[in-house]
Amino acid sequence: MTLEEEISAPQRGRGLLRAIFRSRNLTIGLFVLLLAIGMAVVSEFWTPYPPNALRIRDKLQGPSLAHWFGTDHFGRDVFSMIMAGARNSLEVALTAVAVGIGIGVPLGALAAARGGWIDGFVMRLTDLAFAFPALLTAVIVTAIFGPSAVNAMIAIGIFNIPVFARVTRGAAMGLWKRDYVLAARCAGLGDAAITWRHILPNVNHVLIVQATIQFALAVVAEAGLSYVGLGAQPPQASWGKMLSDSQTYIYSAAHLAIFPGLAITITVLGLNLLGDGLRDLLDPRVRRQR
Amino acid sequence: MTSYVLGRLFALLLTTLAASLIVFLLMQILPGDPAAVMLGVNAQPETLAALRTKLGLDQPLWTRYLDWIGGFPFGDFGVSHTYSTPISQLLAPRIMVTLPLALLSMAISVGVALPVGVYAASRRGKPGDFLSMGAAQIGVAIPNFWLGLLLILFFALHLRWLPASGFAGWEDGLWRGLRSLILPALALGLPLAAILARVTRSAVIEALGEDFIRTARAKGLTSRAALWRHATPNALIPVATIVGMQFSFLLAGTIIIENVFNLPGVGRLIFQSIAQRDLVTVQSLVTLLAACVIFVNFLVDLAYGWLDPRLAAGGGR
């Protein structure tokens, strides 16, 4: 019986679950992420009040049993808007990370596999991309194509491309010198097949951790773009837009500024903890350094 | 060392030129003819053609690019289509807001992060480490524009210590100008300090594990002296890298923070120019910001040589 057969799948699954619950960071991070996803999914078919329902006579109410997080200047229920905003935030961030992975990982893998001028060219391209502050890139892209949630996804995604290209290349470079890659080459496999079968599975853990970090950054970037009016457009609920609206009423209704900000901070905090926890779980070197 | 600096300078120049070309080409995709925007929908075709000639919009792409970028070394960034004023004149008063804001934020970031990071490393695994890194973890997660709103709520509206928004200018003394920048600089600097404190802690912990620290301790140095005189200076290279990268975040951050605090800086000028389809102003400002980031990265590269003379001597990195 091989070692792999000996450690049966259910046992490995239980081991993973035990590892997750042993790590405080992973447990809290996963809980927050699942909470945000849960809010986003539930908001599709239920919110305490319709998020876009205007009730002017109920406007600017503080938190109460009827409206847990109060109401805004149009009398809309802030809690319902935060639930609906979670969907927008997660959708934009997820797509932006997917764009980064979809283009950045193949670019980085190509640079590592081929080396030479291709590697130099890809790296200079990423150097160039890093010369533009992420948010500035996003502002320019949304300025060119017009403000919308979809364009915010593309804008934030564009900045993720060089990040994933760099991380993939950095992690893959060392692997190309390993014996098992040499063996695969002797067996007649080409660069693409080696990358697919041997390199990518071995850089997965780095990419998962980076994806969590970029996901958190994308949530903040989306909120920032919506705050300055370049992200989601009304009537779509967005945490950043809620903060921007709150500024006008900051003297009379401070709660409008508190709850959307807390939603962003808790989500980002959860994702950061998840990233830290995954790094501990997947990279034994980091675990030793702590 | 000289060839290293010259090589980096050459790379800096090439990257800046490439960045300027990208910005220029991107701006050409922007929908809307600037001449039509300036003259409005009722403009006569002849007037439109005359203005297009005056603005150089009838020239080939390459000529326009070379004309525009050729002025940069002489401080000529073109003329704003909206204000009909040289961009350098628009920029001058705004830099006097954005640059002090960025420098103050950076000072806050480094000034808070270094002591906190070194302290946490020296108390590794103890309550002091747990508390300071817990605060840093929360600090990293707080978006700067929300922190800005919280600071306005507490320090401007509740305590009434500092102005909630606007810029008082430098004409009435340093303090009046500085007062308007304290809250925005805190909003920008504190989240960056949280990131930097975590990096500093890790770098100092790694340095504390090195053989030279054991040697220093064996020679009779106190743990405090070993920490400050040997571990901390050796931890500065990763810290310098992050400080350089943070400059890029800072510049982007000023764009939003200037909106939160209603500051008349470069960030707000970019927004106004985008809204008014003032292409030349947008492309010049964005190129200048990118050039600043590239230049700061170059300075960080040089700082490596100063922080670790082995690197400057070609010891390999």
Side-chain angles (χ1 to χ4, degrees):
Chain A
M1 186 186 274
T2 64
L3 187 64
E4 281 208 8
E5 283 164 349
E6 213 166 308
I7 307 168
S8 63
Q11 270 178 327
R12 269 181 284 162
R14 274 200 295 276
L16 185 68
L17 271 183
R18 253 202 305 275
I20 289 173
F21 286 118
R22 245 201 319 263
S23 158
R24 200 179 46 228
N25 286 349
L26 264 181
T27 315
I28 300 174
L30 262 181
F31 173 73
V32 172
L33 182 64
L34 290 176
L35 188 72
I37 293 174
M39 278 210 310
V41 172
V42 172
S43 76
E44 279 296 286
F45 47 88
W46 180 84
T47 47
Y49 297 86
N52 294 318
L54 312 182
R55 287 187 190 81
I56 299 294
R57 64 196 166 111
D58 291 342
K59 70 175 183 179
L60 300 177
Q61 284 185 9
S64 65
L65 275 178
H67 298 282
W68 297 349
F69 292 175
T71 58
D72 76 350
H73 53 297
F74 289 128
R76 291 175 295 189
D77 180 55
V78 173
F79 183 68
S80 304
M81 289 171 76
I82 284 183
M83 281 181 76
R87 201 196 102 191
N88 173 60
S89 240
L90 297 183
E91 245 176 32
V92 172
L94 197 66
T95 316
V97 173
V99 169
I101 291 177
I103 303 176
V105 171
L107 266 181
L110 175 76
R114 288 297 164 94
W117 71 267
I118 294 182
D119 180 32
F121 180 70
V122 172
M123 284 306 101
R124 292 298 78 75
L125 271 186
T126 58
D127 278 348
L128 200 57
F130 282 125
F132 297 97
L135 199 74
L136 192 62
T137 314
V139 166
I140 297 170
V141 171
T142 42
I144 292 172
F145 299 109
S148 74
V150 175
N151 289 342
M153 291 175 192
I154 299 169
I156 303 167
I158 286 178
F159 178 73
N160 280 332
I161 295 171
V163 174
F164 281 103
R166 282 256 177 121
V167 169
T168 309
R169 176 200 176 255
M173 283 296 257
L175 299 178
W176 278 96
K177 297 186 183 83
R178 296 286 177 89
D179 289 343
Y180 60 82
V181 172
L182 199 65
R185 205 184 277 292
C186 292
L189 289 184
D191 283 350
I194 293 176
T195 299
W196 184 250
R197 285 198 215 164
H198 297 288
I199 303 292
L200 288 183
N202 280 298
V203 300
N204 258 348
H205 64 283
V206 187
L207 292 178
I208 290 171
V209 173
Q210 193 63 42
T212 323
I213 297 168
Q214 294 309 119
F215 196 94
L217 289 175
V219 169
V220 178
E222 188 282 326
L225 281 179
S226 296
Y227 178 84
V228 292
L230 295 176
Q233 297 297 303
Q236 194 171 11
S238 150
W239 294 342
K241 185 83 184 67
M242 288 172 77
L243 276 181
S244 155
D245 289 343
S246 78
Q247 210 166 343
T248 320
Y249 303 94
I250 200 159
Y251 290 89
S252 51
H255 67 275
L256 291 180
I258 303 288
F259 292 114
L262 269 180
I264 301 171
T265 305
I266 291 172
T267 308
V268 174
L269 184 63
L271 286 166
N272 286 344
L273 289 175
L274 186 66
D276 284 355
L278 284 173
R279 190 165 44 212
D280 287 353
L281 184 72
L282 301 171
D283 191 346
R285 282 168 304 179
V286 178
R287 206 161 41 207
R288 275 201 300 273
Q289 276 172 16
R290 288 200 168 223
Chain B
M1 178 72 185
T2 315
S3 61
Y4 172 71
V5 174
L6 283 177
R8 297 297 308 159
L9 257 177
F10 182 66
L12 175 146
L13 198 69
L14 274 186
T15 317
T16 312
L17 275 176
S20 71
L21 187 62
I22 289 176
V23 176
F24 177 80
L25 291 175
L26 271 178
M27 287 302 130
Q28 307 312 309
I29 313 173
L30 262 175
D33 177 0
V37 172
M38 286 167 81
L39 291 175
V41 279
N42 297 323
Q44 298 295 320
E46 303 81 42
T47 329
L48 202 63
L51 186 61
R52 285 182 60 81
T53 311
K54 189 182 162 205
L55 297 176
L57 296 174
D58 56 347
Q59 299 288 320
L61 214 58
W62 275 108
T63 319
R64 272 157 51 204
Y65 172 71
L66 291 175
D67 272 355
W68 168 67
I69 201 67
F72 268 59
F74 311 103
D76 173 12
F77 310 125
V79 176
S80 158
H81 293 170
T82 312
Y83 300 97
S84 301
T85 311
I87 292 167
S88 51
Q89 280 182 26
L90 286 177
L91 202 57
R94 285 167 171 90
I95 281 186
M96 293 308 289
V97 178
T98 301
L99 189 66
L101 173 61
L103 290 178
L104 197 59
S105 310
M106 192 52 96
I108 289 171
S109 169
V110 176
V112 171
L114 276 185
V116 171
V118 174
Y119 169 77
S122 70
R123 313 289 299 168
R124 187 184 182 190
K126 294 183 177 151
D129 177 26
F130 182 75
L131 275 178
S132 47
M133 283 306 107
Q137 186 74 269
I138 294 171
V140 172
I142 294 183
N144 53 26
F145 48 94
W146 186 50
L147 183 60
L149 289 178
L150 294 182
L151 291 171
I152 291 175
L153 265 175
F154 191 66
F155 289 103
L157 302 184
H158 183 64
L159 296 176
R160 296 181 184 279
W161 285 357
L162 293 159
S165 69
F167 182 63
W170 299 108
E171 299 80 18
D172 300 326
L174 188 70
W175 175 237
R176 270 183 70 86
L178 212 55
R179 275 191 69 195
S180 326
L181 295 183
I182 291 176
L183 290 185
L186 281 171
L188 262 176
L190 287 179
L192 295 182
I195 299 171
L196 198 58
R198 286 167 54 128
V199 174
T200 308
R201 175 188 177 270
S202 305
V204 172
I205 284 177
E206 204 173 324
L208 281 172
E210 298 282 347
D211 289 343
F212 59 80
I213 296 292
R214 204 170 20 186
T215 311
R217 294 281 283 135
K219 280 167 67 184
L221 240 70
T222 60
S223 57
R224 178 185 284 263
L227 175 72
W228 286 104
R229 280 177 24 206
H230 294 278
T232 305
N234 278 286
L236 285 182
I237 287 199
V239 174
T241 309
I242 301 296
V243 169
M245 282 168 63
Q246 287 197 338
F247 190 77
S248 170
F249 283 107
L250 261 185
L251 283 181
T254 55
I255 299 176
I256 288 196
I257 286 297
E258 283 174 8
N259 273 285
V260 177
F261 288 90
N262 209 8
L263 295 173
V266 180
R268 270 178 60 93
L269 182 60
I270 291 182
F271 262 106
Q272 287 161 352
S273 309
I274 287 175
Q276 291 154 344
R277 288 278 178 267
D278 191 349
L279 293 193
V280 182
T281 309
V282 177
Q283 75 190 25
S284 293
L285 294 179
V286 171
T287 303
L288 281 172
L289 284 185
C292 279
V293 174
I294 295 168
F295 185 66
V296 169
N297 287 341
F298 165 74
L299 289 183
V300 171
D301 269 3
L302 291 190
Y304 288 149
W306 178 67
L307 292 170
D308 187 348
R310 285 171 304 182
L311 299 181
R317 289 169 54 188

